[in-house]
């Protein structure tokens, strides 16, 4: 019985890691759709979002069953609670990739982004995908040192986001108000995606150490 119980805990972590990998793939496709005005990729991201939601629902159902039937304590309890909270963050990451894909679809066949800001979004997309993949490995390995390094990549995302805002606000911005609004919202989606990846890593540190690190932002999308 005890062995089966710990197998269930391991399966929860595996599902969470798989879910994190899914949203990383979604953001990679959404970024390509955004940069290349690729409608087919945008539609794929939009259609696959339900799969992320289904995994989160499964994780929550299993987690609450373990809480009710096994009454876990200490590290086991931390694991179940961390998985529940992390799954919420990962689902939001998927929603943010969905928002990017929907922006690409809404403007198709026109480009959403002006040429001057495309390089910023290419780099923000790269960092976002890297963060999701690092978070996936942190979940699998429970490597606290690796989890803390995720904050450095998040700092790079924050720097890009701040600089992007100065570009949009420049008096010589040539793309008009609608483009400025789209660019501002899209920048926020990437910045929040990174914040949620940090939150997932933070939950892993909590499982291992019993203490919640004081970095990152776990607020709503």
């Amino acid at each position: 019985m005890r062995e089966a119980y710990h197998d269930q805990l391991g399966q929860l972590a595996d599902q969470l890691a798989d879910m994190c990998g899914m949203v990383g793939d979604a953001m990679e496709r959404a970024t390509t759709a955004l940069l290349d005005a690729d409608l087919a990729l945008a539609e794929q991201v939009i259609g696959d979002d339900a799969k992320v939601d289904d995994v989160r629902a499964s994780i929550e159902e299993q987690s609450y069953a373990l809480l009710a039937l096994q009454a876990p304590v200490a590290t086991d309890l931390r694991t179940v609670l961390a998985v529940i909270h992390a799954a919420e963050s990962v689902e939001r990451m998927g929603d943010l990739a969905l928002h990017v894909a929907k922006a690409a679809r809404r403007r198709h066949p026109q480009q959403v982004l002006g040429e001057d800001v495309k390089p910023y979004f290419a780099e923000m997309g790269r960092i976002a995908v890297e963060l999701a993949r690092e978070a996936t490995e942190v979940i699998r390995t429970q490597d606290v040192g690796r989890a803390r390094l995720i904050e450095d990549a998040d700092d790079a995302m924050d720097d890009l986001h701040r600089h992007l805002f100065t570009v949009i606000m420049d008096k010589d911005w040539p793309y008009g108000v609608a483009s400025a609004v789209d660019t501002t919202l899209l920048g926020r989606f990437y910045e929040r995606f990174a914040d949620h990846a940090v939150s997932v890593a933070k939950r892993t540190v909590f499982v291992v150490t019993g203490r919640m690190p004081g970095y990152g932002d776990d607020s709503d999308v």
Side-chain angles (χ1 to χ4, degrees):
M1 288 288 291
R2 202 67 187 166
E3 184 177 344
Y5 163 56
H6 282 286
D7 284 346
Q8 287 175 295
L9 287 174
Q11 288 167 14
L12 277 179
D14 287 342
Q15 287 183 69
L16 180 65
D18 290 345
M19 186 182 174
C20 204
M22 290 168 67
V23 301
D25 290 344
M27 184 55 93
E28 185 172 43
R29 294 185 186 111
T31 300
T32 300
L34 180 69
L35 295 173
D36 297 344
D38 189 323
L39 181 60
L41 268 183
E43 293 287 8
Q44 182 180 353
V45 174
I46 293 164
D48 285 348
D49 184 63
K51 297 177 183 178
V52 176
D53 296 342
D54 289 344
V55 176
R56 185 206 172 172
S58 175
I59 287 172
E60 285 196 340
E61 182 179 352
Q62 294 174 65
S63 297
Y64 290 131
L66 283 174
L67 289 173
L69 298 175
Q70 301 291 345
V73 296
T75 302
D76 292 348
L77 177 60
R78 293 202 301 270
T79 298
V80 176
L81 294 178
V83 165
I84 291 170
H85 287 292
E88 181 181 7
S89 286
V90 176
E91 184 186 35
R92 289 175 180 169
M93 291 166 74
D95 290 341
L96 290 159
L98 175 68
H99 294 337
V100 173
K102 283 185 173 180
R105 182 176 70 175
R106 184 172 62 252
R107 295 296 185 189
H108 188 270
Q110 283 76 36
Q111 291 276 354
V112 181
L113 301 171
E115 290 299 322
D116 293 349
V117 296
K118 275 189 175 182
Y120 295 99
F121 281 93
E123 181 64 6
M124 291 169 81
R126 185 195 66 78
I127 293 172
V129 173
E130 176 187 323
L131 281 166
R133 290 178 177 161
E134 279 298 300
T136 300
E137 291 307 309
V138 165
I139 294 165
R140 295 196 191 281
T141 63
Q142 295 196 337
D143 185 332
V144 171
R146 193 169 186 172
R148 295 189 186 282
L149 289 175
I150 287 180
E151 188 181 13
D152 294 337
D154 180 53
D155 288 343
M157 180 72 85
D158 289 341
D159 288 344
L160 277 167
H161 184 241
R162 281 191 293 268
H163 189 69
L164 178 66
F165 191 72
T166 66
V167 173
I168 297 166
M169 295 301 294
D170 191 288
K171 62 182 176 61
D172 295 323
W173 172 259
Y175 302 110
V177 173
S179 177
V181 171
D182 282 340
T183 304
T184 300
L185 288 173
L186 285 161
R188 178 63 172 163
F189 296 155
Y190 283 92
E191 188 258 345
R192 291 300 300 132
F193 186 98
D195 285 345
H196 285 301
V198 171
S199 177
V200 172
K202 180 169 64 174
R203 299 290 176 186
T204 302
V205 174
F206 170 66
V207 169
V208 176
T209 68
R211 297 187 302 275
M212 190 69 75
Y215 66 81
D217 184 333
D218 197 27
S219 59
D220 291 340
V221 169

